[in-house]
Amino acid sequence: LGLAFQLQDDLLDLYGDESQFGKMKGGDIVANKKTFLFLEAMELANNAQKDKMLYLMNDAVMQPAEKVRQMKALFEELNIADVTAEAMEKYYNTAMQMLNATDVSASNKVKLMQLAESLRIRVS
């Protein structure tokens, strides 16, 4: 569940509503964080795209908004938002299957499932 939450956080960082999420859009890119989005993009990218992403990660002069714009364009070429959403759903579903398999009372499972669902559908 924690992995699903983190992937949702990575998506919201780039695609979420700043006013509702409370972070600058693309802050992870500006901070050169190697998020799931970046790592997955590097796995799927051709050599030219990889070179561009590495250039963007290492550029200390480019304006932050331009860096975010260019990296986001590369992510969109590679359908990284969809890839990330699919991975997030996989982790969420696995967590729910594991929770269902535990020897916990049904009433406690419901509470945990409600919490998990609230984390999954955070504001975008």
Side-chain angles (χ1 to χ4, degrees), residues 5 34 41 59 61 70 75 80 97 116 122:
F5 178 85
K34 292 178 179 73
D59 188 302
V61 180
Q70 288 189 37
F75 288 173
I80 294 302
Q97 290 170 358
R122 290 183 293 159

Side-chain angles (χ1 to χ4, degrees), residues 16-111:
D17 181 342
E18 284 182 48
S19 66
Q20 297 204 5
F21 189 49
K23 289 183 174 180
M24 175 185 79
K25 194 176 274 193
D28 289 346
I29 292 170
V30 173
N32 296 323
K33 291 186 179 178
K34 292 178 179 73
T35 65
F36 180 88
L37 282 72
F38 177 79
L39 296 173
E40 195 65 21
M42 288 296 288
E43 286 289 320
L44 297 173
N46 62 36
N47 287 337
Q49 291 166 322
K50 286 178 185 178
D51 289 345
K52 181 70 173 181
M53 284 186 281
L54 291 173
Y55 169 80
L56 291 169
M57 283 290 273
N58 293 311
D59 188 302
V61 180
M62 186 179 296
Q63 291 295 313
E66 182 60 19
K67 183 175 187 172
V68 170
R69 186 192 69 72
Q70 288 189 37
M71 188 72 81
K72 185 176 180 181
L74 287 163
F75 288 173
E76 288 172 357
E77 287 176 23
L78 298 165
N79 296 315
I80 294 302
D82 291 340
V83 170
T84 304
E86 288 172 15
M88 183 185 71
E89 282 298 310
K90 178 184 146 220
Y91 286 122
Y92 175 82
N93 290 332
T94 300
M96 293 302 95
Q97 290 170 358
M98 294 173 82
L99 179 58
N100 278 326
T102 61
D103 187 24
V104 175
S105 71
S107 63
N108 286 338
K109 282 183 187 180
V110 167
K111 292 174 187 175

Side-chain angles (χ1 to χ4, degrees), residues 4-13 21 23 28 122:
F5 178 85
Q6 184 58 55
L7 294 183
Q8 177 77 356
D9 192 64
D10 291 351
L11 281 172
L12 288 172
D13 177 76
F21 189 49
K23 289 183 174 180
D28 289 346
R122 290 183 293 159

